[in-house]
Amino acid sequence: MIWNTMMGTSILSIPWGIKQAGFTLGIILILLMGILTLYCCYRVVKSRKTIPLIDTSNWEFPDVCKYYFGSFGQWSSLLFSMVSLVGAMVVYWVLMSNFLFNTGKFIYNFVHDINVTDIVPGTNGSTKVICPSASSGHPPQNMSVMFFSGNDTGFELFEEWWSKSRTVPFYLIALLLPLLNLKSPSFFAKFNVLGTVSVVYLVFLVTVKAAHLGIHLEFNWFTEDDFYLPEFRILFPQLTGVLTLAFFIHNCVITLLQNNRNQENNVRDLSVAYFLVGLTYLYVGVIIFASFPSPPLSKECIEQNFLDNFPSDDIMSFVARIFLLFQMMTVYPLLGYLARVQLLRQFFGNAYPSVFHVLTLNVAIVGAGVAMARYYPNIGGIIRYSGATCGLAFVFVYPSLIYVISLHRAGQLTWPALITHIFIILLGLANLIAQFLL
């Protein structure tokens, strides 16, 4: 259950994050961030036990923050929780626009018998890999060309009305805005299994593609050439920002573990879940990076959504996009419901005060998603900024401060414990600041 909940859109950006950090440093950071976030999540789970003489069995982590930090803890935890929820919804909107665009493009080309090979640098052969950003500056000698039969005007009209950034993000409004206004989107919770199916299929896709492409690795420890990246890069905080959200479950882990029949197994189950999530991220990230064909392309071509490195007419990528599109269309209303409950209940004491209040909130959230899909469709950037921001509070600061304060009140605080948790807080702060510097 925890693995299924934690695995999300971040998996699509892990290979890009490894590219930013360097192969060796990327692997090290995934391992270290997994251990660090697991420890902080463990502190969240144990936080209710630090409060004596009060029944905390029904408390969530924001309630614990309110107990220790008063109204500041209550409202700041709400703020950072909203950052994580709205940030995830914005990422979903960008990705749904991407998947819907590529799905429509695939169907149009198939129906009209159009043979399209994207006019971007790419490899030849049965397993084609492309470089949409053309960031390597080394296109292959045989540039791809586009062949199509039929009415040129019809194709141009389709291209005009089916644009990834100009039109498709707006089409999603008609599909999703009505769903956000439902009082209880419990119906969509039944489709949670799509998340597991999507991740399993992505692992399968990565394995098959790597088997066809082979391994393309050359270890350049500190220097960068035309096709290979150094193993350690100064851009590594971009990966830590992504990983903060990738391993983020701290604001709902107490609720998830309450369903355990044997509460004494909570720590074990949490550790197993983090191990499986870390293993999945490592596998997908390492395999995509290692098998990316460099040369003829450069590893710099790895996109923030690694599915974009496969052309729109790739059958396996088409199926993956279909799976992910339907999964996100069912999860998106659930995220909106959680955001509505947390925000409106705090301000109005009711999760559904009126249609006007709910519609206003949902229009604002949808507007943010459309604006990002239109002007800043970079999921890696959105994930790392929102991850580092909400992670500063829920992952690094609050769990550490609560633990230190509880030890101090019990007269058990030691210098090693104090220094260790201050260091964790400083790491979270440095992680956030670095996102805006690199």
Side-chain angles (χ1 to χ4, degrees):
M1 179 64 177
I2 298 176
W3 175 85
N4 186 36
T5 304
M6 203 186 310
M7 293 299 303
T9 56
S10 301
I11 191 173
L12 299 172
S13 296
I14 295 296
W16 170 80
I18 291 179
K19 175 196 76 174
Q20 300 301 90
F23 184 66
T24 301
L25 183 57
I27 294 174
I28 294 173
L29 287 177
I30 292 175
L31 295 173
L32 292 180
M33 285 294 292
I35 294 171
L36 179 59
T37 51
L38 169 60
Y39 173 74
C40 294
C41 198
Y42 166 77
R43 283 282 145 238
V44 171
V45 172
K46 292 295 184 180
S47 62
R48 295 185 301 176
K49 301 294 184 182
T50 64
I51 302 174
L53 307 177
I54 298 178
D55 181 15
T56 60
S57 57
N58 294 322
W59 282 27
E60 302 292 342
F61 190 58
D63 298 314
V64 179
C65 293
K66 182 180 179 180
Y67 172 84
Y68 276 98
F69 308 114
S71 59
F72 173 79
Q74 176 187 5
W75 292 105
S76 60
S77 63
L78 172 65
L79 172 64
F80 288 112
S81 183
M82 291 299 297
V83 168
S84 66
L85 288 170
V86 175
M89 294 179 75
V90 168
V91 171
Y92 271 42
W93 200 277
V94 174
L95 284 173
M96 287 187 293
S97 301
N98 180 304
F99 297 149
L100 183 60
F101 167 78
N102 282 288
T103 300
K105 187 176 179 182
F106 177 92
I107 294 173
Y108 180 88
N109 294 339
F110 180 80
V111 169
H112 293 82
D113 194 26
I114 297 175
N115 181 16
V116 176
T117 303
D118 296 283
I119 309 179
V120 288
T123 60
N124 296 317
S126 57
T127 302
K128 182 175 175 61
V129 178
I130 63 175
C131 184
S133 60
S135 57
S136 66
H138 296 276
Q141 293 181 351
N142 298 321
M143 283 294 293
S144 303
V145 294
M146 178 171 63
F147 302 97
F148 59 89
S149 58
N151 191 333
D152 294 9
T153 305
F155 184 82
E156 292 173 357
L157 190 64
F158 171 76
E159 293 281 293
E160 179 182 351
W161 288 96
W162 195 257
S163 168
K164 184 187 294 187
S165 60
R166 293 195 306 271
T167 60
V168 172
F170 293 92
Y171 297 155
L172 285 171
I173 297 176
L175 293 172
L176 294 173
L177 185 57
L179 300 180
L180 285 177
N181 295 307
L182 296 177
K183 282 193 174 183
S184 176
S186 57
F187 169 76
F188 298 102
K190 300 176 183 178
F191 294 92
N192 273 345
V193 67
L194 285 175
T196 303
V197 173
S198 300
V199 173
V200 171
Y201 182 79
L202 280 177
V203 172
F204 172 73
L205 179 148
V206 166
T207 305
V208 172
K209 295 295 185 183
H212 284 90
L213 293 169
I215 300 301
H216 300 265
L217 277 180
E218 180 176 307
F219 294 97
N220 295 335
W221 292 103
F222 301 106
T223 60
E224 182 172 349
D225 62 24
D226 290 342
F227 298 110
Y228 295 99
L229 302 176
E231 301 304 300
F232 301 89
R233 302 185 76 191
I234 195 65
L235 298 175
F236 72 89
Q238 296 185 6
L239 175 58
T240 61
V242 170
L243 290 173
T244 306
L245 193 62
F247 286 112
F248 183 74
I249 198 174
H250 300 63
N251 62 340
C252 61
V253 66
I254 292 176
T255 302
L256 292 174
L257 290 176
Q258 279 178 341
N259 298 322
N260 265 7
R261 181 176 302 175
N262 300 314
Q263 289 293 303
E264 64 274 10
N265 295 331
N266 282 349
V267 175
R268 181 203 66 186
D269 294 344
L270 185 66
S271 302
V272 170
Y274 263 86
F275 172 78
L276 293 176
V277 169
L279 187 64
T280 307
Y281 288 153
L282 267 177
Y283 181 82
V284 172
V286 168
I287 292 297
I288 286 291
F289 185 92
S291 64
F292 194 86
S294 174
L297 302 178
S298 166
K299 300 288 187 184
E300 282 285 6
C301 287
I302 297 176
E303 294 291 305
Q304 296 183 11
N305 170 8
F306 74 79
L307 289 177
D308 286 342
N309 285 116
F310 301 106
S312 59
D313 59 354
D314 183 86
I315 298 294
M316 291 191 68
S317 301
F318 168 74
V319 175
R321 292 181 178 112
I322 289 289
F323 270 129
L324 289 167
L325 178 61
F326 279 103
Q327 178 216 350
M328 292 179 184
M329 290 180 67
T330 58
V331 173
Y332 189 83
L334 294 175
L335 294 175
Y337 175 75
L338 292 174
R340 180 209 312 169
V341 168
Q342 291 191 17
L343 188 64
L344 298 186
R345 185 171 287 171
Q346 286 289 337
F347 281 97
F348 303 103
N350 187 346
Y352 205 100
S354 72
V355 174
F356 173 77
H357 290 86
V358 174
L359 183 61
T360 301
L361 174 62
N362 291 335
V363 167
I365 293 175
V366 167
V370 172
M372 285 295 186
R374 177 70 177 87
Y375 299 107
Y376 188 76
N378 302 315
I379 65 166
I382 301 170
I383 288 174
R384 67 188 182 96
Y385 288 127
S386 60
T389 302
C390 67
L392 175 64
F394 279 108
V395 179
F396 299 103
V397 175
Y398 287 155
S400 298
L401 279 182
I402 288 173
Y403 182 59
V404 167
I405 293 172
S406 66
L407 288 179
H408 176 70
R409 291 179 178 178
Q412 300 174 353
L413 181 61
T414 61
W415 279 108
L418 178 62
I419 293 172
T420 298
H421 290 87
I422 289 177
F423 180 67
I424 291 175
I425 293 173
L426 293 177
L427 282 179
L429 184 61
N431 184 40
L432 176 61
I433 294 174
Q435 306 309 315
F436 298 94
L437 298 179
L438 297 173

